[in-house]
Each structure stands twice: as structure tokens, then as C-alpha cells.
Amino acid sequence: MQTAIMIVANYPLYIRSVPTQGELKFHYTVHTSLDVVEEKISGVGKALADQRELYLGLLYPTEDYKVYGYMTNSKVKFVIVVDSSNTSLRDNEIRSMFRKLHNSFTDVMCNPFYNPGDPIQSKAFDSIVSTMMVQAF
Amino acid sequence: MDQGSAAGTGGTFISLSDTEQRCYSGLYALCQPDSSGKLAAGKVAELFRASQLPAETLHQVTEVCGAKRLGYFGCGQFYVALKLMAAAQAGLPVRLESVAGELPLPLFIGITNELEMRYPNHPSTNESQPHILGSLTGSAPRPPADRPVLRHPDTSTDKQEAWSPPRSPGISPPRSPSAYRSYPYGAQRNGTDTLLAYDGKVAGCPSVPQENSSPSHYSLKLQPEQPVITRVASVERLVERAEMDYSDDPWRITEEQHEYYTNQFRSLQPDLSALIMGTVAKNFFTKSKLPIPELSHIWELSDVDKDGALTFPEFCTAFHLIVARKNGYTLPETLPATLRPGFVEPGVVPAPPSEATEPLIVFDDNMMPGANQLEMGSVDLQMTSRPGVTSKQDTRDESRKPEEFSPKRIPDPHEKPIQHVSTLKPDSPQELDANMKSRTRPRSYSSTSIDDAMKKVEEPPTPPPRPQKTHSRASSLDLNKLFQQSAQGSRPSQHSLSAKSGWLPRPPALPPRPPATQIFSFLPGSEKSSQKAVQQANFADFSKFREEESSVRGGLSTEDLAPPKLDSTLRHQGHAPQKPVRRKLHPESQSATPPSAAPYSAATLTKSTQRPPPKQKREIQMAIRKNRETNAVLTRLNSELQQQLKVVHRERVTLESQLELLRPVAST
């Protein structure tokens, strides 16, 4: 089962996929899904940052996989790509995954040595993401 | 290298005791064996020099051990050479036969066994090692000279033995503790020795596999093969204690380190319970010249509450990790237990001396506790850095850098260590030096600088208000009031002045002054003007007063007091005319008055009693007047303050109402 988690701020900040092959495909998927994200964002209209608004839900179901999106207040987008064959994942689980991602991401941001816009190289963040992916998928 | 009991040189086998084996293996590792087992000639030469044997003896040794024939020092040759040197140091001729029996370990000044021990023990590259080994690893010029000085103290076999045990353990982080432990064995050593030993242990012999430095140490120690090791038993105990204490070393913050970190924290943020913001901490830690990813990792480890700022424990943790990293320890993935902010090592932070000093003391019985600690800390750090010589050099450079980093204040100390000049702080660790010296020295610096700054800040405000408080007001308005109240007709102003000057009230006035000053600063110049007016009035009065005083001069304690007081107050205010006047009046009293108003009053009273009755009476009256004036002044001050308070209240109410108005808007 192939899944991937990507953090994009108009360019990839962090990509992790399980299995690690086929990342290129995920890159492509993420880029296309960004368009969908933009579409959803523009549709929101209000400038209120609400937790609901942050979670964008299923962006783009294809025959192979499903793409879920989440956008932070600072316009950093989280994208989760899961196999369509994995039907056990519920929306709430995805939401919780995004929440964890967001928390870890803020922890990374809090690090003064991290410059926003740099690729995320934090080992702690990696471990959290790996754990999450293993649990969920 | 063969740790076996035999060292072969051209077929000759010499039996080595366990301690000897350990020692030799450590030394062997110290001399940078290359892949084929040959030792670097330079290192060997340094080691030989450190043995302090005459050159010709060394030549003999080289010849006998077979290295001369071979042209290089292999393991076997090296071992034989070491044994021959031990024999030579023991006074035996340099012959193969001499080494057949049991001999004490050879002593190498400067490179002491400790170093060797460290070196061999420390498989990983530790910067600390390089420092200590410095000589070995490459600071050729220094080492021999430095080492000897440093190490020299304990060239006892005990130490050697002690060293060997440490070598066995091999693990670098634990090494440091073990090193320390071994140190204690050698106890006599000065701090440097301990460091060296420490390094030795930490260095981890390549030959020594790893682990459990402490157990092995203990076991080793428990083998008092050599008769000289009398201390072993006691040392062992100490070592055990040390081991237990340092079981987590290098991830344990020693007391010295903690003090240093505290001072560094204070330099960034005077309040120990407050936070250091991320950017501030970033700038500070960036000075350590560690790569950003590592600093980022350190931050992640140490900022446990993930708030982007460092509390004091977090800061200590981060600093300690940086120090460890600079010394060559690899950063852990998770925070070691001893570094957790909530971790309170018994006796480490709170009452450090007990535990912290204990191990240290263990290490060096003779060494200075402070030095020990410093060294130990540095040793630990360095020990880990020992391992690769070349890499160590790099790390050494890095470790030297911390000197720049931590002690901007103390450039010298760091440099010294580098030069390995100081005996106490042996080369071992420039890092140590950086840490320790920075710890020791910077501490004083930082504290003094901070304290001075704070004091300076505190000082200025107080003086000015005083004068105003007492006299100016009193003289102008209060005096009048006083007079009216007191219904003392004669020279109300003068009386008031005199009363004021006479001070008794001084003491009470003093305390309020500072607050008054603050208030004064608040108050607009109106007060000052009034004060000035008063002063001028006082001036006039004083002159009259002076006349009076001069007439009453006899026991003028009060008068003296009064004028001085006025002087002082006036002085504060900066009214030149009054000052000189006062001074003229009572030059001596002026000097006397500032110090204590109370004494004055007492003195005046006494004086007055001693003086002839009329004078006494007058003085008393004057004192009374002054008191009254002071009271008047104070009441005025009080009223003014009350008015200010009302104003402030009004403002506050206004602001609150505005806030209320804004709040509904913000909540939407």
C-alpha cells in the first residue's frame, strides 16, 4: 500500500512516502492536488481561520489513490495521499493525522534554527511522521 | 594489537600483566597505529620523550625491541619498547632479560598513562582526547612539554595501574566517568592528571572493545597486581562511587558546568526563572560554530515544552549538549535522562558539593576540587573526542573555537589551555578549558558585569530626591506652616531651618527619600521650583541660621548637623551657594553629617547635654524646629503624591473604559 505525506509551501518542504519508491509519482500527485487546494481556498471566502477550514478533506479521488488536503494558517499545505485500496481510513482519522502533523510542524517552526522555507530535516519530525504512517497505513 | 600476554619482537615473547596490557594497548592506540599495525613514528617519539629517559636509553630501547631493525614500531616492538622503558625507569638495564619479569608500568610524563589510557580507551573520536593527547595527536610542540608538566605529578605506578583499568572500558561516554575513576586511582595527580586519565579512558583503546568501563575498571582495579597500588582499594571505592555518579556521563551536568551555564544564562537573561527567546538563544548558540542542523537538533532535544524559548533548565541542557558535541560526543536521538529539565541529580544542582565534588574528590585526592571538576568535565568531553587523531584535530579546532564562543570574556584562559601551559588545565581540554575556564572565569566576569550594571542602574536615581525632600519643601512652605503651628515666633524660618538642619529627622527622612525621589522624578518641575524657592529661602535662613549657629557654636553638634544636613540635601539638589555656605559653616560637620543623621542627633543631644544649658536649650529648640519642618515637608509630599495617585487613577479608569469599548469589537 502506498501512502505519502507531503508538506508543501508552493514547493515541497517535506515528503515522506511508504514505501519510499515511487516518490516521483507522489510529487506529481501533490502538484496536481495543489490546484484543487487553491480552488477550495478560493471557495472558502472568509478569512477566518477555523479548524474546519484548515482541513480540506478529500481533494481528489482517482482510481488509484485519494488525496487529502490541509492548510495551515500560514498557507502551508499538508497533503496526504493514500491508496484507494485502503478503505479503512475514516475522515476522522485523517483529521487526527493532520492535527498531529500540524503540531509537529509547529514544533519544527518553533526551533529558532529552522528557517521557514527550508526543507524540514528535523529527526524528531521524521520520527513522528514515520510513526504516524506506520500506525495508520 | 595483541593484547595478549605476549609481545613478540623477533620471536621473543615477553609476558605482560593485565594492567600492563591495558596500558600498553592504550599507548599503542595513542600512537596512531595505521592499518598494518605500524605506529606513527612521531607519536612514538613523543611518547618516548615523555618517558623522560635519556636519549641514549631510548635508542637502546629502540634497538632492543627490534624496531630499529624493522624500521618501524609494530605492536610487538612497541610493547617490548614500553616494557623496556619501564625497566629503564625502574633502573634496570635495557635488556630483554630485564623485561622478563614484572615491572611497573612505564611512566610517561605528559603523555602519561592517563593519556594513553584515554586514548586507547576511547575509540570514538573525542575532541577532548585530542587536546589531551594533543601532543600525541599532533600538537607536537606542545605536548611533551605540556604533558610533563601536567602529568608529571603522578607518575606513580599507581596511576599507571589505575589507567589500565580505565582503558578496558572502552565506551566513550562512559569513559569519561571511568576516566575519572581511574583518575582517582592515581589520585595524586593534579587536576590535569585526572583529566588525562579521563581522557585516556575516554579515548577508549581501540583494542578495548567497549563497555562497561566502570565494571571493568573496578575489576581491574581490584587486581592490585602491583605492589605500588596501595591506593587501589580506596581508589576503587572512590571509583565506584564516581562511577555510580557518573554513570551517565557525559550527559550529566557537573556542578562547575552548571555554574557556568548559569552565568551564561544570566548574561542573556538576568532572571533565572524567565525564558530566553528563541532568537536570542539562536544567536548565542550560533557562536558555538556548530553546524545549523546540529544546533537545530540540539534545540529540539532541549526545548521540551516546545515553546520556542528556553527556560533555565532547558538552557542548561542545550548548552551541555553543545559542549558535549563540541567535545565530540554524538548527539543522542532523545534527551538523556540526566539532562531532562525535570531531572534533579541529587546533589548536583541543589547541593552540588556533595555529589559533584565527591567524584571529583575521588579523582584527585590531591587535586584541587575545582580543578578536578573542571578538568573532569573537560576530560569527559575530551575523552569522547579522543578517537581519531586526524578528526580530532578538527575537533580540536572546534573545541578551541568554543573558547571564542563561550568565553568571549576569557580569551586568555582558553588560549592557555591550548598552549598547554597551565598545569592545572592541561591541554586536556581546550574544550575543558573553554568550558571550565569559561565557567570559572567567566563566572566572575559575568556576575560582576551584571552586578555592576545593575548596581549602576540602581544608584543614580536615589541621590537627587533626597535633598529636595528634606529641605526644599520644608523650608519654603512647611516652615511657615510649622512656625504657625508651633507658634514659635522667633525667626520661624531660621528655626525651621535650624530644626531641619539639626536633624534628628534625618533618619526618618532618609528612607522616604528614595521613594520620594521617584515621586519627585514624576513630579514636574514645580516641586523643584518650590524646592528651589525653599532652598533659597533656606539659603537666606541658613545664613541667619549660620549666624545663630556661629553664636551657638559651642556645642554645635545639632547645628553642625543641621547645616550639614541642609548641605547634604542642598548638595543633592545642587544648589551651589548653599553648599559652600554650609561647608563654610561646618566643614567638619558636613563630612560627618552625611553618614548618619541619627548619630548626629544622638551626638547633638549628648553634646547639648554637655553644653551649657542655654546652648542646649537652643539646640533642642532648633532640633524641634527641624523636626517640625521635616514633618511639614513630608506631609506636603504626601499630599502631592496623593494627588498624583488620583490623576493616575483617573487615567486608568479612562483606559479601562476604552478597553471595554474596544473589546466587543475584538471579540467578533
Side-chain angles (χ1 to χ4, degrees), chain B residues 523-538:
Chain B
L523 297 172
S526 59
E527 289 184 347
K528 289 185 184 174
S529 58
S530 66
Q531 291 167 1
K532 283 181 186 172
V534 173
Q535 288 167 359
Q536 289 168 4
N538 292 342

Side-chain angles (χ1 to χ4, degrees), chain B residues 141-217:
Chain B
R142 281 198 293 210
D146 294 334
R147 301 280 162 95
V149 175
L150 298 175
R151 306 268 167 96
H152 180 73
D154 281 317
T155 53
S156 64
T157 53
D158 291 350
K159 291 198 285 191
Q160 293 173 356
E161 292 178 351
W163 296 59
S164 45
R167 277 194 289 197
S168 46
I171 301 180
S172 54
R175 283 298 164 97
S176 31
S178 57
Y180 277 103
R181 294 196 236 157
S182 58
Y183 243 103
Y185 290 126
Q188 301 142 6
R189 303 171 181 265
N190 49 37
T192 56
D193 287 338
T194 51
L195 289 174
L196 294 177
Y198 198 79
D199 287 348
K201 290 191 198 172
V202 176
C205 339
S207 55
V208 179
Q210 310 117 3
E211 258 330 318
N212 77 63
S213 48
S214 35
S216 56
H217 287 295

